[in-house]
Amino acid sequence: MRILIVEDAPLVQKMYRLVFSPRDHDLVMAANGIEGLALLEQPGAPFDLILLDLRMPDMDGAEFIRRVRAGPWSAVPVILTTAEPEDSPLLLQARARGANVTVRKPWKPQELRDAVAALLGGPGA
């Protein structure tokens, strides 16, 4: 499975690698939304899933989702990760724009694997 991870914190990027590398996932990292969109536009293997941070510099997760849903990748599932409160306007906007699942930070590895499995099927996907 090919996963695009859009996350600005290097430590969290490292945690994603620890959670998914043993499961033979092809992880592609983007440090912000602009970089993530550029990776989506590259020719080659499409992404099966996007793991997206809500709060990032340059482009927040809600705007990233809007652009993804308006583009040729509109069917790619998006798991949003955030520590924002449930009533955060930005979180509500991201959900309204098409985030499939929200995982609360700090997440536990199994919680993240379960969210991926629920979207894509299979135990721990």
Side-chain angles (χ1 to χ4, degrees):
M1 177 184 348
R2 192 160 192 243
I3 302 174
L4 174 60
I5 297 174
V6 185
E7 169 63 57
D8 62 313
L11 179 60
V12 179
Q13 289 180 359
K14 190 180 277 190
M15 290 171 58
Y16 279 119
R17 290 186 198 286
L18 290 172
V19 169
F20 291 109
S21 289
R23 298 182 177 285
D24 296 325
H25 295 297
D26 179 14
L27 304 180
V28 179
M29 299 289 174
N32 57 53
I34 294 167
E35 195 176 301
L37 289 174
L39 288 166
L40 282 168
E41 292 171 351
Q42 289 181 350
F47 289 98
D48 300 298
L49 176 70
I50 299 170
L51 288 166
L52 175 66
D53 186 18
L54 181 61
R55 288 262 180 212
M56 296 179 292
D58 302 320
M59 180 188 305
D60 61 46
E63 177 61 16
F64 182 86
I65 291 171
R66 184 190 71 76
R67 293 186 188 193
V68 166
R69 294 300 181 232
W73 330 280
S74 62
V76 177
V78 175
I79 295 177
L80 188 65
T81 63
T82 187
E84 288 287 309
E86 285 296 319
D87 61 350
S88 160
L90 186 59
L91 176 56
L92 296 173
Q93 186 179 49
R95 286 178 173 160
R97 289 182 174 177
N100 297 85
V101 174
T102 303
V103 175
R104 308 294 303 164
K105 286 182 173 180
W107 41 259
K108 295 179 180 161
Q110 190 59 50
E111 179 182 20
L112 201 56
R113 285 192 289 267
D114 288 348
V116 170
L119 276 176
L120 300 178

